[in-house]
Each structure stands twice: as C-alpha cells, then as structure tokens.
Amino acid sequence: MWYAIYARDNPDSLRARSAARPAHLARLHALRDEGRLLLAGPLTAIDAEDPGPAGFAGSLIVAEFADLGSAHAWADADPYRAAGVYRDVEVRPFRKVLP
C-alpha cells in the first residue's frame, strides 16, 4: 500500500538539511530502485522553485510499504530526523487515484 509521509521542518534547519541531504537522498534512491517510490520532494518555505536562504518548510514522500508500521519505521530512521531537520512527521495511508 502507498503511504504519504508529511514532515514539517524546524525553524532555521537549512544548514542541517543540507548536511544530511546525501544520506536522505540515498534512502529515497533505494526506494526508487525498488520501484516503491511514487514521489518525493521538499516543500519550499516561499513560493519559488529555488527558495534560496528562505529554505524549506518540510518534505512530502509517497512510497509503498508493507504496512503502516513499516512506513513509520522508515520515516523514523530518516537522516533528516536524526539531524533535527524535522519538527514532526505524519504518516498516513494514501490511495492513488489519478493519473
């Protein structure tokens, strides 16, 4: 089943986000390579493709996991969590309808 992982960043977390980004992306690439990643990306803090020093407000990941517990475990192990980037993370079942 698909699960949406919605994470909100702590204030002033851009430096920590940048430092943890390679490890964070490696985990997303692994999901992609397994055919389990529907989408992933940051939520910008301002209405701009490149938010510059304004940074990011959070992240959205939609990926396939065996169950809700597995999705939570994966989200809890995210390098952004360990680095203190995320203020909180919500994991919810997601039903893809379109396209």
Side-chain angles (χ1 to χ4, degrees):
M1 181 167 189
W2 295 110
Y3 293 88
I5 300 169
Y6 174 64
R8 288 180 287 270
D9 284 12
N10 278 308
D12 302 317
S13 61
L14 186 57
R15 182 173 291 161
R17 180 182 267 274
S18 296
R21 188 170 190 260
H24 172 78
L25 288 178
R27 295 179 80 233
L28 291 172
H29 288 157
L31 285 177
R32 179 201 60 202
D33 294 347
E34 294 167 7
R36 297 174 41 212
L37 183 65
L38 183 63
L39 63 89
L43 305 169
T44 58
I46 61 173
D47 187 13
E49 180 72 24
D50 179 358
F56 301 93
S59 300
L60 176 63
I61 299 163
V62 179
E64 186 176 35
F65 295 95
D67 53 43
L68 184 58
S70 298
H72 272 287
W74 189 92
D76 288 344
D78 193 299
Y80 280 175
R81 248 174 105 115
V85 173
Y86 292 154
R87 174 174 47 107
D88 55 63
V89 177
E90 186 176 348
V91 180
R92 306 284 297 215
F94 176 81
R95 190 169 144 226
K96 183 178 184 265
V97 175
L98 294 171

